[in-house]
Amino acid sequence: MIPYLNPALAVEERVKDLLARMTLEEKCDQLLQTTIGPDVNPNNVGDGGEFRPTIGSILSYFGGVHKRNEFQRHAVEETRLGIPIIWGMDVIHGWRTGFPVPLAQACTWNPETVEAGCRIAAKECSAEGIDWTFAPMVDIPNDPRWGRVMESFGEDPYASGVFARASVRGYQTADPSAPDAIAACLKHFAGYAASEGGRDYSYSDISARKLHEIYLPSFHAGVDEGALTLMSSFNDVTGTPAVVNRYLMTEILRNRWGFSGFVVSDWDSFRQLKAQGFSADPEKIAIRCLSAGNDMEMVSECFKLLPGLVRSGRLDAAIVDEAVRRVLRVKFRLGLFEHPYTEERPLEATALLPAFRETARKAAQQCAVLLKNENDLLPLNPDSIGSIALIGPVAADAAALVGNWRGNVDPATVPTLADVIGEYFPHSRIVTAPGCGFESAGDDGIDSAVEAAHKADIILVALGEEWNRSGENCSRSDIALPAVQRLLLRRLAALGKPIVLLVTAGRPILYPELEPCANAILHLWQGGHEAARACFDLLTGACNPSGRLAMTFPRSMGQIPIYYNEHRRARPDQGYYHDLEESPMYPFGYGLSYTRFTYSDLTLTNELVAGVKVTNSGERRGTETVFLYLSDPEAELTQPVRRLIAFRQLDLAPGESGIARFELDKMRDLAYTDPNGERIFEAGEFVLSAGGLTLHFDCR
Ligand code: GLC
């Protein structure tokens, strides 16, 4: 058997054998990625390129398994070496079964939930011919004006690293060659979330310190978990655009972290170097992007010049070989040479299975955050409600529950709040009305909605962002909900009835104007396929809200950027805004429950094992996320006021106590990263905090 086709041989042997057999053109074609027809991402302008059976990858193909296999057959059976194409797709939060957007998933604080969702997405999309997802996005945003916060796991680097690992496990499993495993892709490397002013695709000025302290750790965690690919980012990193940033993609990613997979560029990012003021010369771009560490080019085709550049001596063939080696390595690890084709199965057998929807429902329950519950209005007792009104543009809208980057989720298969409310209030008189559009008043919708609601015993007001108000290229100077929705809420509140405000959004929104109008507020995020039932499961107490915010909610636009792990001030009590309360509207980690948890006995052993006791002192079972923060009050390199170093969930029955235990590691948890990326441990005093308790200790 030809060595590279022998699965019994080690991957590296197969790579070596195959590479030795390839011509320069065959090698360079492996570094190209194109679409077949226009890309489905509306922000990706222009068609990809033309199909070639020797091409390395195809992205965003929605043509179905049969056609996909036909193209694959050209590659595998009609070319000299039969190298399979790797098929990539943005499977960001589910494929056919919609899961909560990643920022919402982070609010579950449950890595198992995140992993389970990725596992189901991998099962569904691999059954439709997808080998590789461009996820998880592990950028670290602190500016909700940036629409892509919805794709992130929030503002904390440690938490994003935990969820990056969970995503890699879910997509790739321990055996990426399994037919239902897909390659993960950590993106966007690096610092894309630092786009100035939250304006997408803009310049990002990042200090070396912030790069290592904030933007790199989540990628490092994902690489350490075995992610097979990364995607380089659009942004200019302090003068050196990410796609030509050798420090990032070679010094850090490969030389220090030992990453052995491959890096794909983002859509047309090579040609964007002209707009960024780096170069308009495609040959220079090809040489610099390849040499910096991009291995595969998404659509812009500069890499088509590589053979000529090698032949003319402008580019060392060894650099091409190394990139091809990485691409082939991933293809072998994915088992594509053993199973290049996808079995054609009916959709009913592979997608939207009851178990998948049940998992999505749990994720939607866990991601919702209870922001207000005046006089314990919630949970509702349906038997005591004679008449209930469900009013708002989200009431009967499915897409708003799913959000952007929805893959192949069909909103027609997503039940809306209006679809399911009757299941929960079978004996109540129910009225529903949109009241207004997402952005527009519509014809006298508000008046008729107020009229419809005025006899109700309680009013559920379902407001939110339209599905594509967050996401790529969705930057906003104002994150408040549209004025017409705020007016609808005020008019309904004027009726003097109990108001439960339900909000769907892919980003933090402004609540100061909404909060006084509602007795209870449930921030649903965009919870996916079963968000509607999950919402009523929470409203009726079938389950107890456990979501906690993974991103700070500001009081006003003027507070942005505002985030929990801020650095210390020279005058802690001065310098604040004179015209605004200093604290955020809702802080990182905030979320209410139908029960109450009390903390006691925060301890630390000499072996650095921390523990804290948590008691459920309420009447309902509930899940509490215990956040363990570290403060380092004195260091050569000043440290943030506090930073999250661990979290754990306790599920406690009424009256039950539990101990959250954390085994700390000096270098991992107490050290900090300096501007050179080195871990520095400085002996001295530290402070642990959890649940409002603090513990000072000395560590040498
Ligand atoms: C987009 C996004 C990237 C996505 C890619 C393919 O422009 O920046 O996240 O994976 O193109 O759609």
Side-chain angles (χ1 to χ4, degrees):
M1 181 186 265
I2 298 173
Y4 78 89
L5 293 176
N6 180 356
L9 291 183
V11 164
E12 293 312 309
E13 276 188 75
R14 301 177 77 181
V15 168
K16 186 178 174 191
D17 176 63
L18 177 50
L19 192 68
R21 297 168 185 270
M22 296 170 79
T23 65
L24 180 58
E25 275 69 17
E26 287 166 336
K27 290 176 183 176
C28 295
D29 271 2
Q30 284 301 306
L31 309 184
L32 293 179
Q33 178 187 58
T34 185
T35 59
I36 300 175
D39 189 59
V40 285
N41 176 343
N43 305 298
N44 290 343
V45 177
D47 284 2
E50 94 277 2
F51 173 75
R52 291 215 291 258
T54 51
I55 201 164
S57 175
I58 300 285
L59 81 147
S60 302
Y61 183 64
F62 281 76
V65 174
H66 184 75
K67 289 290 288 175
R68 178 261 190 214
N69 284 342
E70 268 181 22
F71 284 112
Q72 191 74 310
R73 198 156 285 112
H74 291 315
V76 173
E77 298 172 25
E78 296 166 15
T79 62
R80 198 171 68 84
L81 296 168
I83 302 172
I85 292 165
I86 180 171
W87 297 74
M89 180 69 78
D90 291 289
V91 184
I92 308 300
H93 53 106
W95 175 244
R96 293 280 182 176
T97 304
F99 281 83
V101 295
L103 182 53
Q105 292 189 33
C107 295
T108 69
W109 294 95
N110 189 329
E112 289 70 36
T113 295
V114 172
E115 181 174 344
C118 294
R119 185 82 295 272
I120 288 168
K123 284 175 181 285
E124 289 189 332
C125 75
S126 59
E128 297 184 47
I130 293 162
D131 311 307
W132 173 30
T133 178
F134 305 130
M137 190 264 228
V138 293
D139 301 321
I140 309 291
N142 62 22
D143 188 333
R145 292 172 294 184
W146 191 51
R148 302 199 76 164
V149 298
M150 57 81 67
E151 298 173 61
S152 78
F153 290 121
E155 69 193 41
D156 181 67
Y158 167 75
S160 297
V162 170
F163 297 125
R165 289 177 182 274
S167 302
V168 170
R169 290 194 301 269
Y171 291 131
Q172 297 183 180
T173 75
D175 174 15
S177 69
D180 69 354
I182 60 175
C185 181
L186 305 169
K187 71 183 186 182
H188 308 78
F189 195 61
Y192 182 16
S195 295
E196 270 178 349
R199 288 183 296 276
D200 215 341
Y201 316 118
S202 65
Y203 182 76
S204 54
D205 198 298
I206 303 172
S207 67
R209 193 260 171 99
K210 194 159 190 180
L211 187 67
H212 286 285
E213 178 183 302
I214 300 296
Y215 296 115
L216 293 181
S218 53
F219 286 94
H220 197 177
V223 166
D224 186 57
E225 196 67 29
L228 291 172
T229 72
L230 269 78
M231 182 183 292
S232 54
S233 58
F234 288 133
N235 53 303
D236 181 336
V237 183
T238 322
T240 304
V243 287
V244 289
N245 201 305
R246 186 178 168 76
Y247 174 73
L248 281 176
M249 288 187 288
T250 296
E251 171 55 28
I252 296 294
L253 181 61
R254 288 174 176 124
N255 296 349
R256 291 201 206 177
W257 296 352
F259 176 63
S260 60
F262 73 81
V263 174
V264 64
S265 62
D266 202 343
W267 185 278
D268 208 22
S269 58
F270 288 7
R271 278 191 297 219
Q272 288 168 187
L273 285 170
K274 177 181 179 184
Q276 286 174 304
F278 180 80
S279 171
D281 170 3
E283 292 188 337
K284 174 182 174 184
I285 288 172
I287 292 169
R288 294 294 300 274
C289 287
L290 183 72
S291 309
N294 298 278
D295 303 298
M296 185 180 283
E297 177 185 18
M298 187 184 289
V299 314
S300 48
E301 300 199 331
C302 296
F303 275 6
K304 270 190 173 164
L305 303 170
L306 295 179
L309 292 168
V310 171
R311 291 206 169 85
S312 66
R314 288 185 60 194
L315 177 64
D316 180 349
I319 298 177
V320 171
D321 285 357
E322 183 51 31
V324 179
R325 198 172 283 120
R326 293 164 181 162
V327 173
L328 296 178
R329 183 177 293 136
V330 170
K331 291 187 173 183
F332 281 119
R333 285 181 180 170
L334 276 177
L336 292 186
F337 285 79
E338 279 65 58
H339 51 76
Y341 306 117
T342 303
E343 183 190 350
E344 296 189 43
R345 287 186 284 166
L347 216 45
E348 307 75 66
T350 65
L352 278 173
L353 306 184
F356 293 177
R357 296 184 79 136
E358 192 46 37
T359 305
R361 182 170 177 169
K362 284 196 177 65
Q365 291 164 353
Q366 293 172 14
C367 76
V369 183
L370 182 62
L371 298 177
K372 181 178 184 181
N373 193 17
E374 202 169 59
N375 305 323
D376 293 339
L377 172 67
L378 299 178
L380 304 174
N381 172 5
D383 296 338
S384 69
I385 295 175
S387 165
I388 186 167
L390 172 62
I391 308 289
V394 173
D397 189 283
L401 301 177
V402 181
N404 213 332
W405 287 112
R406 64 182 182 222
N408 226 346
V409 172
D410 174 4
T413 64
V414 177
T416 67
L417 295 170
D419 289 334
V420 304
I421 185 171
E423 296 170 23
Y424 293 83
F425 297 88
H427 311 303
S428 308
R429 182 173 160 271
I430 298 170
V431 291
T432 62
C436 63
F438 281 96
E439 306 278 345
S440 62
D443 49 9
D444 84 354
I446 291 182
D447 291 342
S448 58
V450 171
E451 173 58 29
H454 87 282
K455 290 202 182 84
D457 299 324
I458 187 166
I459 306 172
L460 308 181
V461 187
L463 307 179
E465 290 193 305
E466 198 154 13
W467 69 272
N468 55 359
R469 202 170 195 253
S470 299
E472 183 180 357
N473 196 10
C474 292
S475 307
R476 303 193 67 80
S477 67
D478 186 352
I479 58 171
L481 288 183
V484 69
Q485 295 192 42
R486 305 199 307 266
L487 173 61
L488 172 64
L489 177 61
R490 284 198 303 276
R491 291 282 307 279
L492 291 166
L495 291 173
K497 310 268 184 180
I499 297 271
V500 178
L501 175 59
L502 307 170
V503 176
T504 61
R507 64 181 0 130
I509 61 150
L510 292 186
Y511 271 101
E513 192 183 330
L514 310 177
E515 196 274 349
C517 298
N519 304 90
I521 302 174
L522 196 55
H523 192 84
L524 297 171
W525 293 108
Q526 289 152 341
H529 241 95
E530 296 299 338
R533 286 196 175 87
C535 173
F536 286 106
D537 291 339
L538 293 161
L539 290 179
T540 59
C543 57
N544 187 351
S546 59
R548 302 286 183 270
L549 296 180
M551 190 168 179
T552 302
F553 280 45
R555 288 182 188 280
S556 79
M557 298 310 292
Q559 271 190 330
I560 294 170
I562 182 170
Y563 45 93
Y564 91 92
N565 50 347
E566 61 182 1
H567 278 267
R568 299 163 187 277
R569 314 161 63 98
R571 295 185 181 182
D573 304 324
Q574 289 177 276
Y576 295 107
Y577 296 123
H578 288 272
D579 58 347
L580 185 69
E581 159 74 38
E582 181 59 17
S583 62
M585 183 70 190
Y586 299 115
F588 177 86
Y590 177 83
L592 301 176
S593 168
Y594 294 150
T595 188
R596 288 179 313 287
F597 297 100
T598 46
Y599 284 68
S600 58
D601 306 327
L602 175 58
T603 59
L604 181 70
T605 68
N606 291 334
E607 295 71 38
L608 292 183
V609 178
V612 64
K613 182 178 175 182
V614 182
T615 301
N616 178 343
S617 42
E619 286 77 47
R620 283 175 177 272
R621 172 175 283 279
T623 297
E624 171 70 342
T625 301
V626 181
F627 297 98
L628 186 68
Y629 294 97
L630 179 86
S631 298
D632 182 351
E634 197 174 312
E636 268 307 296
L637 195 64
T638 58
Q639 293 301 300
V641 174
R642 61 184 180 138
R643 61 185 170 87
L644 185 68
I645 57 171
F647 62 88
R648 178 138 311 127
Q649 290 190 319
L650 295 175
D651 184 53
L652 299 171
E656 183 184 5
S657 294
I659 305 283
R661 199 177 303 284
F662 305 92
E663 292 185 11
L664 303 184
D665 173 273
K666 198 162 82 168
M667 287 313 290
R668 184 193 65 208
D669 300 316
L670 307 189
Y672 59 78
T673 305
D674 77 0
N676 300 314
E678 301 303 322
R679 295 291 290 164
I680 308 290
F681 173 74
E682 267 190 57
E685 182 196 5
F686 296 90
V687 184
L688 283 181
S689 58
L693 303 177
T694 56
L695 182 149
H696 293 245
F697 67 99
D698 210 70
C699 187
R700 299 279 153 205

